[in-house]
Amino acid sequence: MSIQPLIEYFKKYLPLNSEDIILLAERIKPRNIKRKQMILQEGFVCKHYTFVEKGCFKMYGIDEKGTEHNLMFAAENDWVADLGSFYSGKPSKLFIEAIEPSTILQIEKQDLLYLFVHSPKFDRNFRVIVEEKFIELQNRLLQNFSSNAEQRYLDFLEQYTELALRLPNTQIASYLGITPEFLSKIRKNRTLK
């Protein structure tokens, strides 16, 4: 398994030189993940920052009634981790599960910190990645209290254009905070317009 997709990914921030690539290759671990396989479960510490080379993941929590609430999706060329658990070392309240068979690259906390110290590019690149995720989260929170369900669906289609075709209605509905039946109604109304 190659780390080339990750090297290409970093080119949109601060590109890596040959020394950076060697440092990264020594610390990153490739894995193949089956559909429905968990890479994080509630109650366990998030030990990896995960880059999705191929496939799709959902990060979700479960409320006291047992209802699943999708917080985010991560597909090709995206990162997924419970950052609160990863940095604090405290047990996670979230799950990260593969929606499709996936190929991932994972880095553990101590290896990531090593990269930060030994190559400032990694520190900068990951800072920008976290900032972008924070902005996504802010936008999502704003949408949840200021937009109706149809507008949230349109925003979802804009943010996850390709994923919208790959995800089942139940997953999209959970992300939007609506029932699958209501999502079907929104889709039907949109085709009638």
Side-chain angles (χ1 to χ4, degrees):
M1 208 178 301
S2 166
I3 67 166
Q4 191 59 39
L6 185 52
I7 295 166
E8 292 298 317
Y9 173 84
F10 282 126
K11 284 183 180 177
K12 68 181 185 179
Y13 302 110
L14 288 176
L16 306 179
N17 61 32
S18 57
E19 292 169 6
D20 298 326
I21 292 168
I22 291 168
L23 280 175
L24 182 63
E26 291 173 347
R27 283 162 184 77
I28 202 119
K29 296 189 177 47
R31 290 182 63 194
N32 289 314
I33 304 295
K34 296 176 184 171
R35 182 178 175 271
K36 294 195 172 244
Q37 185 176 341
M38 300 277 188
I39 60 170
L40 177 65
Q41 292 185 25
E42 180 182 29
F44 290 86
V45 174
C46 182
K47 295 187 178 194
H48 300 96
Y49 220 97
T50 300
F51 179 78
V52 182
E53 187 177 324
K54 185 182 124 210
C56 182
F57 288 83
K58 63 180 178 176
M59 182 163 58
Y60 64 95
I62 297 178
D63 67 20
E64 64 280 348
K65 295 177 186 171
T67 303
E68 185 179 297
H69 299 276
N70 288 336
L71 302 177
M72 69 170 286
F73 298 105
E76 290 80 11
N77 295 313
D78 201 359
W79 292 91
V80 64
D82 175 353
L83 292 179
S85 174
F86 182 82
Y87 284 109
S88 72
K90 294 181 180 175
S92 179
K93 296 178 182 176
L94 302 171
F95 298 84
I96 301 175
E97 179 183 341
I99 297 174
E100 302 171 347
S102 301
T103 304
I104 60 174
L105 299 169
Q106 290 186 309
I107 189 161
E108 292 186 19
K109 182 179 178 180
Q110 68 271 11
D111 290 322
L112 186 60
L113 295 177
Y114 180 91
L115 291 177
F116 289 171
V117 169
H118 290 85
S119 175
K121 285 182 188 174
F122 288 108
D123 185 49
R124 176 67 183 134
N125 285 344
F126 277 91
R127 183 172 293 131
V128 172
I129 291 164
V130 169
E131 288 169 355
E132 287 176 348
K133 290 293 183 186
F134 182 77
I135 291 165
E136 280 180 30
L137 178 62
Q138 278 184 314
N139 289 337
R140 177 136 190 261
L141 288 172
L142 184 61
Q143 289 167 358
N144 280 349
F145 67 78
S146 66
S147 301
N148 62 33
E150 183 174 359
Q151 187 58 52
R152 289 196 311 270
Y153 176 64
L154 294 174
D155 292 338
F156 172 84
L157 292 177
E158 186 176 321
Q159 181 177 356
Y160 294 112
T161 306
E162 291 184 26
L163 269 185
L165 303 172
R166 292 165 54 184
L167 294 171
N169 279 356
T170 53
Q171 297 302 322
I172 297 170
S174 172
Y175 178 84
L176 298 173
I178 59 176
T179 65
E181 296 78 18
F182 193 62
L183 177 58
S184 293
K185 183 179 175 183
I186 291 170
R187 285 180 163 172
K188 183 179 177 184
N189 288 344
R190 293 208 38 79
T191 59
L192 296 175
K193 288 182 179 179

